[in-house]
Amino acid sequence: MQNPSKTPLLDQIASPEDLRRLPEADLRQVAAELRSETIDAVSVTGGHLGAGLGVVELTVAIHHVFDTPRDRLIWDVGHQAYPHKILTGRRDRIRTLRQGGGLSGFTKRTESEYDPFGAAHSSTSISAGLGMAVARDLDGRHNNVIAVIGDGAMSAGMAFEAMNNAGAMHSRLIVILNDNDMSIAPPVGAMSVYLARLSATRTYLKLRDIGKQLTRQLPERVDRAITRAVEHARGYVTGGTLFEELGFYYVGPIDGHNFDQLMPVLKNVRDTDVGGPVLIHVVTQKGKGYAPAEASDDKYHGVNTFDVVTGAQSKAKANAPSYTKVFADSLIKEARKDDRIVAITAAMPTGTGLDFFGQEFPTRTFDVGIAEQHAVTFAAGLATEGYKPFCAIYSTFLQRAYDQLVHDVSIQRLPVRFAIDRAGLVGADGATHAGSFDVAYLGCLPEMTIMAAADEAELVHMVATAAAYNDGPIAFRYPRGEGVGVDMPEFGVPLKIGKGRVMREGTRVALLSLGTRLGEALKAAEMLAAHGLSTSVADARFAKPLDRDLVRRLAANHEVLITIEEGSVGGFGSFVMQALAEDGAFDGTGTTALKFRSMVLPDVYLDHDKPDRLYAQAGLDARAIVAKVLGVLGRSEDAATSLMA
C-alpha cells in the first residue's frame, strides 16, 4: 500500500489557477504544506529560508485573490519567493535552486511569466511596479500591479523616491509592506522604530469605526469634516499619515499569518478603486513555522544544506579562513592601534564581517541600513573630520552608490577606505551578485587607488595599507569564500603604493595577474614549462596606480604578455594596454612585436553555479591560460588539447 502524500492539496496545484479553484477554507492547509515543502527543498539545496517562511500565508493569499500572471506580482529582492516559485509551476524543479542549470535563488524574468521583474538587490519593486502601472494605464488595461517590499528595503531612499512619484501620479498601485522587523540583520534606524509603533497599536482601528458610526447619518459636508479630523488624529495615534502624506491610502497593520485578516483586505483592495496607490501594512515573522529558524538570531536568512528535524546545518571543513573573516580580524587589529578607525556597513554586518568589529568597537561601528548611497557620503563626512572610515560593501552593492563615489569622495579626494567583498564570481547567487565591474568603474576615477588581494595574507597587508593611506580614496577587493591556505602574518605591513611583485622568473612568457587568479597563473606556468615555455608570473597587487616599471620590464623581456583578472573588460587589462600603447610597446614589427592579450570575464552575465565551474566556463582557469598562451604562439592544436585535458 502506498504511503499517503504529505502534501495532498499542494499536489493538486500546478499553477495559481489551480489554487484559486480551492475554497478559502483549504488555504490554511495549503500554507502548512507549502511551508513544509519549502523547508524540505531548502534543506537539500541551501539558500534563503527565513524570508520565504515568513511570507507563506501572504503568498497563498495573493495568488488566491489576484489573477496572476495577468495581475503583476513583484517581490522586492526576490529571496523570499521560493514559496511563490512552488505555486507557479516550478515545484518539480525547486530542488535545483541555486544549482548549476537550476532555478535562480531570486525572481527572474526568463524563468517564468509569473516573475514580471527580476530582482536580487533591494528596494526596486515600487519603482518597477509604478512603471508597470503607468504602462497599463497608457494601454487602457485594468489589471492590478502588486509590489511586496520588506521593512528593511524601505530604509533605502529609492523606495521613498518611488512612493513620492506614485503618490503624485495617482496611478492604481498596490504596495504590500512586509514588516517582519528585520531585513538580513536586525533592523536599524528611525523607520524600523516607526513601523514598530504602527504595528503595536490598534487604537486607530477602533477610532475609525466609531467615527464612521457617528457620521453615517450626518450631512455630507459635516461627515467630510469629521472624517478629516479622525484621519488627522490617526497620525497622532499610529503615524499612518506618513504614507498618506506621500499620497498612499494606508491599510493596516494586519496579521500576515492570519487568513481571516489577509483575505478580506486583499479582496477589498482588489475590488475598490481609491483613486491612487494603496499601501497594505502586513506584519509577519521571519522564519515562521520552523522552530530552528524562529530561534536563530538571523532567522535562517541564508543557510547551507541542513537536517530538517534538528535544523543543524552542514558545513564543509574549512581549509583556510574566509576572506571576510581575515578582513574583519585585520581591521580589528588596526583599530586597536588607531582610535580614528571606524567601520560602516549597509545592513550587512554579518556578510561583511563587521559584526565581529562591532562586538569590540560598538561605538565605532555604524550600520546605516539598506542605504549604500548614504553610507558612502556618511563615510565622506567622517573623513573630512579626520576619521578613517572603512566602508565595507559588496562589489555589486557599491554600484548603487556610484554618484556618491564620484561626487562626494573622489572629486574631493577624501580618504575613504572601501573594503569590497564578493569580488569576482560568487557562485550560487549568480549574476546579480557577481563582482565583475568594480575595477572598471573605480579605475576610471582620478585619485582612486585600487588593490586586489591574491590570497588571505595579502589581504591582511592591504587592510594595513588602507589604514595608513591618507592621500585620497583607496579600495581593496577580495572574493567570497575561503583563502588558499597560505601562512598568515601576525600583523599587516603597509605595501608600497603602486608596486607589484614577481612570483616566478621566466624568459619567454609573462603572466601578470591581479587578484586571486594568481594561483591559477602559477599552475599554468608549471603546465607551460611542460610545453617547453619558460614563464614568468607576477602579482600586480595594484590596478591603480599601475606598476609601470614592472609592466615595462615584463613587456621588454618576454615575447608574450598576458594579463589575468576576475573582472570585466575595461579594467586592469585595459589599464596595462593603455600604458603599453603610450610607451610604444606595440610599435615593433615581426619578431620584435610584443604579443599581448588580456584575459577577462566574458561579455555575458554568467548564471549561478559553483565558482570553480564558473571560472572554467569563463576561461580563467589554468588550462584556459595555457590554451591562450599556446594560441598566441600559433600552437593551436596544443591549445585545443590543453583545454580538453
Side-chain angles (χ1 to χ4, degrees), residues 232-246:
H232 189 62
R234 176 187 186 184
Y236 294 106
V237 176
T238 69
T241 51
L242 169 64
F243 299 110
E244 290 180 336
E245 290 299 328
L246 287 170

Side-chain angles (χ1 to χ4, degrees), residues 247-525:
F248 278 71
Y249 184 87
Y250 174 86
V251 180
I254 63 173
D255 183 350
H257 302 296
N258 186 336
F259 283 108
D260 291 336
Q261 293 188 29
L262 279 173
M263 297 300 288
V265 168
L266 292 179
K267 287 179 186 176
N268 285 337
V269 169
R270 178 196 64 190
D271 298 335
T272 306
D273 187 352
V274 299
V278 178
L279 185 136
I280 307 172
H281 183 180
V282 176
V283 179
T284 63
Q285 179 184 356
K286 198 169 186 179
K288 174 74 172 177
Y290 186 50
E294 291 181 1
S296 171
D297 287 342
D298 69 353
K299 307 302 179 189
Y300 275 38
H301 171 75
V303 295
N304 297 314
T305 58
F306 62 92
D307 182 276
V308 173
V309 176
T310 65
Q313 297 185 46
S314 60
K315 293 189 177 180
K317 187 176 181 180
N319 297 314
S322 73
Y323 283 97
T324 300
K325 185 66 162 60
V326 170
F327 159 67
D329 290 344
S330 301
L331 187 60
I332 288 168
K333 289 179 180 178
E334 295 296 330
R336 287 171 183 162
K337 298 185 293 184
D338 188 344
D339 62 8
R340 306 296 282 180
I341 289 176
V342 295
I344 300 160
T345 175
M348 296 294 291
T350 303
T352 59
L354 291 188
D355 53 339
F356 298 110
F357 187 91
Q359 289 169 15
E360 183 156 346
F361 303 107
T363 63
R364 292 158 62 185
T365 308
F366 304 95
D367 183 350
V368 302
I370 303 176
E372 292 85 1
Q373 292 174 297
H374 164 61
V376 171
T377 304
F378 173 59
L382 282 160
T384 65
E385 298 295 324
Y387 277 85
K388 297 183 175 182
F390 278 75
C391 208
I393 302 178
Y394 291 1
S395 174
T396 57
F397 295 174
L398 189 58
Q399 292 164 186
R400 295 159 64 99
Y402 193 66
D403 182 60
Q404 287 69 31
L405 274 165
V406 177
H407 182 270
D408 301 338
V409 175
S410 178
I411 287 177
Q412 302 188 84
R413 201 174 177 178
L414 290 171
V416 176
R417 289 89 176 156
F418 293 98
I420 304 177
D421 203 330
R422 271 58 169 182
L425 302 177
V426 294
D429 281 338
T432 55
H433 285 62
S436 307
F437 311 115
D438 53 86
V439 174
Y441 72 64
L442 291 175
C444 62
L445 300 180
E447 312 298 344
M448 180 66 72
T449 296
I450 309 166
M451 302 178 282
D455 55 47
E456 59 270 40
E458 282 288 286
L459 179 55
V460 175
H461 297 313
M462 288 180 181
V463 173
T465 306
Y469 187 77
N470 285 299
D471 292 338
I474 188 167
F476 52 98
R477 72 191 309 257
Y478 48 96
R480 181 179 190 174
E482 297 173 4
V484 298
V486 298
D487 292 335
M488 295 291 287
E490 184 176 357
F491 295 102
V493 177
L495 303 173
K496 188 172 182 180
I497 299 297
K499 290 298 175 183
R501 55 178 179 159
V502 175
M503 308 299 294
R504 173 184 174 126
E505 292 281 6
T507 57
R508 190 172 182 189
V509 176
L511 304 177
L512 178 56
S513 171
L514 178 75
T516 56
R517 290 293 92 191
L518 179 64
E520 293 298 304
L522 289 167
K523 289 180 191 176

